[in-house]
């Protein structure tokens, strides 16, 4: 009898432990406080029911430490809905370098949050771009092109890397030290024209991030060792230095599509600033997924997935949100402080259909019949697109 009871208790304990583990590892599927308590819909939908989570607590992901830097990543392996894009947070101390490497399965789009960096980029034609990218700046590295990133100080450089493949993992990066340390020594000697003793000085495994050398000098001193032509189209851009595409009541949208940043031909980035109570209005993107990172503040994200399914998520600073292509959504600042969001799309052509503009483009008869409302109320629907909604006075 006692053994039977103890057996049941052990099974119950194991079940509880497994449940806790699943919630911890797959907590992205659990409804947030915002989904269960704050907001109500006309249909009284249960927020998040039968849907994956569209937000991930990236701010709670532990950092991986290296000699001179840190990193952490988010993709389909821990945020399953993000099939079209993956993200990496990285920091580099002055003089540290993310070693020469390339990515075989994705392009790299980056935004510098703090500090200063220097990038090198080499094209398949052997042309090169060497540039300094400071806070608010972007770079774009096409898939398969060789590149490096340095922290040049003063202070720590912190930046976000976004890749246009949700399965991307930093562990699958092709690094030069990893490559040479896994190639026959005699072949490395022949390729570099070195002696065996010289080759023996190379790292025996992937370096990844290194702070071995001194901090780089002025940009003018960063010249190629050989005679190399420059890449004609710049692959760096100052997003924060742009004039806002839309500005209303202190709310702003800055955009860097292929139109503003030709080097980034298949990815678009944006900065959205929302004042307390303001909203990036209901809209959808016909041609791209949307990857979001909270730079500062808190955000509520609503996502409509069709078939009567919808989600409302609360994101904190450092968290990541994701909206699949074609899903209706809106971004709202429900807090008492300003909100800044980095938004990335996996298409260089920025397309957005806003609810206000969609309604304004239709005849009143269509609107009245669709919403089953009177002509008087139909006339009070939006007549132009403003991108942002300002807080209402109640």
């Amino acid at each position: 009898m006692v053994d039977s009871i103890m057996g049941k208790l052990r099974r119950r304990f194991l079940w509880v432990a497994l449940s806790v583990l699943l919630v911890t590892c797959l907590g992205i599927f659990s409804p947030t406080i915002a989904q269960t308590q704050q907001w109500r819909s006309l249909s009284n939908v249960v927020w998040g029911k039968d849907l994956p989570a569209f937000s991930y607590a990236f701010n709670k992901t532990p950092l991986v430490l290296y000699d001179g830097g840190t990193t952490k990543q988010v993709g389909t392996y821990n945020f399953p809905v993000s099939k079209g894009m993956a993200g990496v947070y990285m920091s580099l101390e002055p003089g540290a370098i993310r070693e020469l490497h390339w990515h075989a399965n994705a392009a790299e789009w980056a935004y510098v949050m703090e500090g200063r960096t220097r990038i090198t980029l080499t094209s398949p034609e052997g042309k090169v771009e060497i540039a300094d990218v400071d806070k608010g700046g972007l770079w774009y590295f096409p898939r398969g092109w060789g590149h490096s990133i340095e922290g040049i100080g003063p202070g720590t450089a912190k930046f976000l890397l976004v890749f246009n493949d949700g399965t991307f993992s930093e562990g699958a990066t092709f690094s030069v030290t990893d490559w040479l340390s896994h190639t026959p020594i005699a072949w490395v000697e022949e390729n570099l024209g070195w002696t065996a003793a010289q080759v023996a000085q190379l790292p025996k495994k992937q370096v990844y991030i290194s702070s071995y050398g001194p901090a780089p000098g002025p940009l003018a001193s960063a010249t190629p060792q050989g005679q190399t032509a420059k890449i004609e189209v710049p692959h760096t851009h100052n997003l924060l230095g742009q004039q806002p595409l839309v500005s209303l009541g202190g709310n702003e949208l800055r955009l860097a599509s292929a139109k503003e940043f030709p080097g980034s031909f298949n990815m678009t980035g944006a900065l959205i600033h929302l004042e307390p109570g303001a909203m990036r209005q209901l809209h959808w993107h016909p041609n791209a997924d949307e990857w979001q990172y909270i730079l500062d503040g808190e955000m509520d994200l609503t996502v409509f997935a069709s078939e009567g399914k919808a989600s409302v998520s609360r994101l904190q600073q450092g968290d990541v949100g994701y909206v699949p292509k074609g899903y209706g959504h809106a971004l709202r600042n429900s807090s008492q402080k300003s909100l800044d969001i980095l938004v990335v799309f996996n298409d260089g052509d920025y397309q957005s259909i806003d609810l206000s503009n969609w309604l304004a483009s239709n005849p009143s008869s269509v609107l009245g019949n669709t919403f089953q409302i009177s002509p008087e109320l139909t006339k009070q629907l939006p007549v132009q697109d403003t991108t942002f909604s300002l807080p209402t006075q109640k």
Side-chain angles (χ1 to χ4, degrees):
M1 179 70 174
V2 173
D3 290 342
S4 177
I5 293 174
M6 292 302 294
K8 290 181 179 178
L9 288 174
R10 279 194 295 269
R11 286 193 294 273
R12 181 170 295 180
F13 173 79
L14 289 172
W15 174 250
V16 171
L18 180 60
S19 300
V20 171
L21 179 63
L22 288 172
V23 169
T24 301
C25 297
L26 302 177
I28 46 179
F29 288 107
S30 303
T32 65
I33 293 175
Q35 286 181 326
T36 57
Q37 294 184 14
Q38 183 172 358
W39 305 104
R40 189 179 73 85
S41 71
L42 289 169
S43 65
N44 288 317
V45 66
V46 178
W47 301 121
K49 183 180 179 182
D50 299 325
L51 288 173
F54 298 100
S55 63
Y56 177 72
F58 195 38
N59 72 90
K60 297 179 181 178
T61 301
L63 291 168
V64 180
L65 306 180
Y66 294 92
D67 179 22
T70 65
T71 186
K72 61 180 179 178
Q73 61 184 4
V74 55
T76 53
Y77 32 82
N78 52 9
F79 189 24
V81 76
S82 61
K83 296 178 181 178
M85 283 175 279
V88 171
Y89 165 90
M90 189 173 291
S91 70
L92 292 174
E93 298 301 320
I97 186 171
R98 172 66 181 94
E99 66 162 295
L100 289 162
H101 64 284
W102 77 93
H103 309 294
N105 67 331
E108 175 179 317
W109 185 101
Y111 177 78
V112 179
M113 296 186 291
E114 293 183 23
R116 306 184 66 225
T117 64
R118 178 168 298 161
I119 61 94
T120 68
L121 176 66
T122 303
S123 74
E125 297 81 23
K127 297 179 180 180
V128 68
E129 179 176 356
I130 303 174
D132 289 352
V133 186
D134 300 341
K135 179 179 179 180
L138 313 175
W139 67 73
Y140 174 86
F141 299 151
R143 183 183 63 182
W145 289 27
H147 56 277
S148 69
I149 312 162
E150 293 177 283
I152 60 176
T156 304
K158 300 177 181 180
F159 46 93
L160 286 167
L161 310 174
V162 184
F163 300 88
N164 57 358
D165 185 330
T167 66
F168 174 87
S169 170
E170 276 289 284
T173 293
F174 291 79
S175 298
V176 67
T177 56
D178 194 23
W179 186 17
L180 295 186
S181 65
H182 290 83
T183 298
I185 294 174
W187 297 20
V188 177
E189 293 173 13
E190 292 179 19
N191 202 105
L192 300 182
W194 282 10
T195 66
Q198 290 173 321
V199 171
Q201 298 179 49
L202 292 174
K204 305 305 184 289
K205 61 180 181 179
Q206 177 178 236
V207 169
Y208 192 78
I209 291 177
S210 171
S211 58
Y212 176 81
L219 180 61
S221 67
T223 56
Q225 294 220 125
Q227 296 296 318
T228 306
K230 292 183 179 180
I231 296 173
E232 293 87 355
V233 178
H235 286 72
T236 62
H237 182 76
N238 184 5
L239 175 57
L240 192 59
Q242 282 186 206
Q243 289 298 313
L245 178 68
V246 182
S247 181
L248 179 67
N251 304 286
E252 295 179 339
L253 168 64
R254 286 177 169 83
L255 183 71
S257 66
K259 179 180 178 181
E260 294 82 11
F261 181 18
S264 182
F265 65 92
N266 63 356
M267 296 182 76
T268 293
L271 289 174
I272 296 177
H273 176 83
L274 292 177
E275 289 294 303
M279 179 174 68
R280 169 64 178 99
Q281 292 185 338
L282 292 161
H283 64 287
W284 77 92
H285 305 289
N287 66 329
D289 304 303
E290 177 174 322
W291 190 93
Q292 307 154 346
Y293 181 88
I294 308 304
L295 295 167
D296 190 34
E298 299 179 1
M299 179 182 82
D300 284 346
L301 167 66
T302 180
V303 178
F304 172 60
S306 77
E307 298 184 293
K309 300 175 183 178
S311 170
V312 179
S313 306
R314 173 69 52 80
L315 287 77
Q316 311 287 337
Q317 181 177 349
D319 286 348
V320 170
Y322 192 88
V323 182
K325 178 170 58 179
Y327 281 34
H329 60 285
L331 290 59
R332 189 178 191 275
N333 182 358
S334 302
S335 73
Q336 300 301 311
K337 61 172 292 187
S338 297
L339 167 66
D340 290 293
I341 316 156
L342 176 70
V343 181
V344 185
F345 306 92
N346 52 359
D347 198 298
D349 178 21
Y350 177 75
Q351 298 180 11
S352 177
I353 298 181
D354 290 18
L355 176 63
S356 296
N357 190 49
W358 190 27
L359 298 180
S361 66
N362 275 277
S364 58
S365 59
V366 171
L367 300 174
N369 206 6
T370 296
F371 293 120
Q372 300 178 354
I373 55 177
S374 67
E376 292 74 22
L377 190 54
T378 301
K379 293 178 181 178
Q380 297 181 40
L381 287 169
V383 294
Q384 62 180 1
D385 181 23
T386 58
T387 303
F388 299 112
S389 292
L390 304 182
T392 56
Q393 299 296 324
K394 296 184 178 178

